[in-house]
Amino acid sequence: MLALAMGILCIGCSSGNAAAETPAAPPSNEPSDKPESVLRVLQLNIWMDATSVPGAFDGLVDEIARLDVDLVALCEVSNHDGQTVDRLVAALQGRGQTWFGAGESYQGTQGTDVCVLSKHPIKEVRTGLSSISGGVDMKVRIDFEGYDVLLYPSHLDYTHYACYLPRGYDGVTWQKLASPVTDPEAILRMNRGSTRDEAIAEFIKEAAREKADLILLAGDFNEPSHLDWSAATGNLWDHRGCIIPWDCSVLLYDAGFRDVYRALYPDPVTHPGFTYPSDNAKKEPKELTWAPQSDERDRIDFIYYLSNGRFLPTEAAVFGPSTSIVRCMRVKEIGEDTFVEPLPDGTWPSDHKGVIATFKLTAR
């Protein structure tokens, strides 16, 4: 068994100390019991266009159909000629639900692999926002009860995954290192070899031109948060004492954006909110890890928001299995995170977990 202080419990191991987990039940979708003036947003990486697991596409549609959400931001969507987003809209229509979709395919050095689904009519879609490979290239505008809501789906550069260095793995080659790297300057130097920080800096300039009531940035950042690599977590999760001011989260906070999960659950020890690597019952653990001898769990999937005060976050949950992969083993999370677990007889489509956030419209 892995130590309880590390926040994990091996599946298949017994422990009198393990607290019972009660999965969070998502609200009913038909008819909706969601009160008026509540906006729910889902973010998820669907793992290679929902093709990496047999039945993943139908599993993804089933999950979206049963969740009472208004907006969905997906990434790792190939979406050639709009096929994936069109298929999703059609499949949801086949389940009796009306959704609107917008997608973009990655082409050469332009674009990104994202799409948006909305239960509300889409007023505007703009692409080509970024000059950076892996940049934030698309925005979707909806009208929510008379208020202007902008969603930027994102999937940032996966290379130079510097949070692996303290864990004893190279963030470019993914090979095991002779010894872990714990120098914060060296870690940030590798991190800045990616395009992530440039992409976020460009996004911040783009978003500053908007005056929407709520601006959302949702996606797989391939980078942790400075709020999660603090003194409080220095001896946890193979951080090896590292306190790292990760670039993207620092830039966003300096610009006034807030991470909805940390806004509601500020303690990363009690609420680590890990989104990667997720367990997936249809895959062997070795197929779900890039650093098999480490505890590589991190929160790299986010929903950031900037509000003029009319929208406030009220709830957030991790969407996906309450089990993760640690040192090539399946483990059950035992922190205080709320999980919206997958359907028990369904197919989880991803090697990530997602985030579900609820915003309340507070002023008219």
Side-chain angles (χ1 to χ4, degrees), residues 76-300:
E76 283 202 26
V77 180
S78 67
N79 207 39
H80 296 298
D81 299 320
Q83 291 176 353
T84 300
V85 68
D86 289 348
R87 286 179 64 209
L88 286 167
V89 169
L92 288 161
Q93 186 174 25
R95 288 158 172 78
Q97 297 186 8
T98 299
W99 288 79
F100 304 90
E104 183 183 15
S105 60
Y106 184 85
Q107 298 176 347
T109 60
Q110 297 298 316
T112 185
D113 53 347
V114 296
C115 79
V116 168
L117 299 173
S118 173
K119 281 186 176 174
H120 305 270
I122 294 172
K123 294 173 58 181
E124 178 191 11
V125 178
R126 288 196 60 191
T127 60
L129 302 179
S130 178
S131 61
I132 297 168
S133 176
V136 182
D137 200 58
M138 175 181 174
K139 67 180 174 184
V140 175
R141 189 185 307 270
I142 69 163
D143 181 301
F144 180 76
E145 298 188 12
Y147 289 89
D148 192 24
V149 175
L150 270 177
L151 171 59
Y152 293 80
S154 61
H155 187 201
L156 303 186
D157 184 4
Y158 72 93
T159 65
H160 300 84
Y161 194 67
C163 61
Y164 271 6
L165 291 177
R167 289 156 169 154
Y169 284 81
D170 189 278
V172 176
T173 68
W174 322 113
Q175 299 300 306
K176 198 168 190 305
L177 300 171
S179 61
V181 176
T182 57
D183 175 16
E185 291 186 6
I187 293 166
L188 286 174
R189 191 160 51 245
M190 172 178 276
N191 197 59
R192 290 165 187 165
S194 76
T195 64
R196 292 186 292 269
D197 52 329
E198 292 93 342
I200 292 300
E202 185 183 58
F203 160 75
I204 289 169
K205 290 179 181 178
E206 204 285 329
R209 294 188 284 267
E210 290 288 350
K211 303 299 182 185
D213 296 300
L214 179 65
I215 299 177
L216 300 166
L217 172 66
D220 172 7
F221 278 34
N222 282 306
E223 181 178 312
S225 168
H226 71 289
L227 300 175
D228 297 348
W229 283 64
S230 64
T233 62
N235 294 320
L236 301 176
W237 312 312
D238 285 356
H239 288 194
R240 290 189 168 86
C242 293
I243 300 171
I244 308 296
W246 295 105
D247 294 301
C248 292
S249 59
V250 169
L251 286 168
L252 285 163
Y253 264 71
D254 286 348
F257 282 82
R258 292 295 178 262
D259 166 358
V260 66
Y261 201 82
R262 278 289 162 260
L264 293 169
Y265 304 114
D267 189 339
V269 177
T270 61
H271 293 80
F274 300 127
T275 63
Y276 184 83
S278 175
D279 190 13
N280 190 307
K282 294 197 173 182
K283 290 288 186 178
E284 294 298 320
K286 66 182 180 181
E287 299 176 277
L288 297 165
T289 176
W290 289 85
Q293 295 180 36
S294 78
D295 184 346
E296 65 197 288
R297 290 175 300 167
D298 252 312
R299 198 170 58 97
I300 62 172

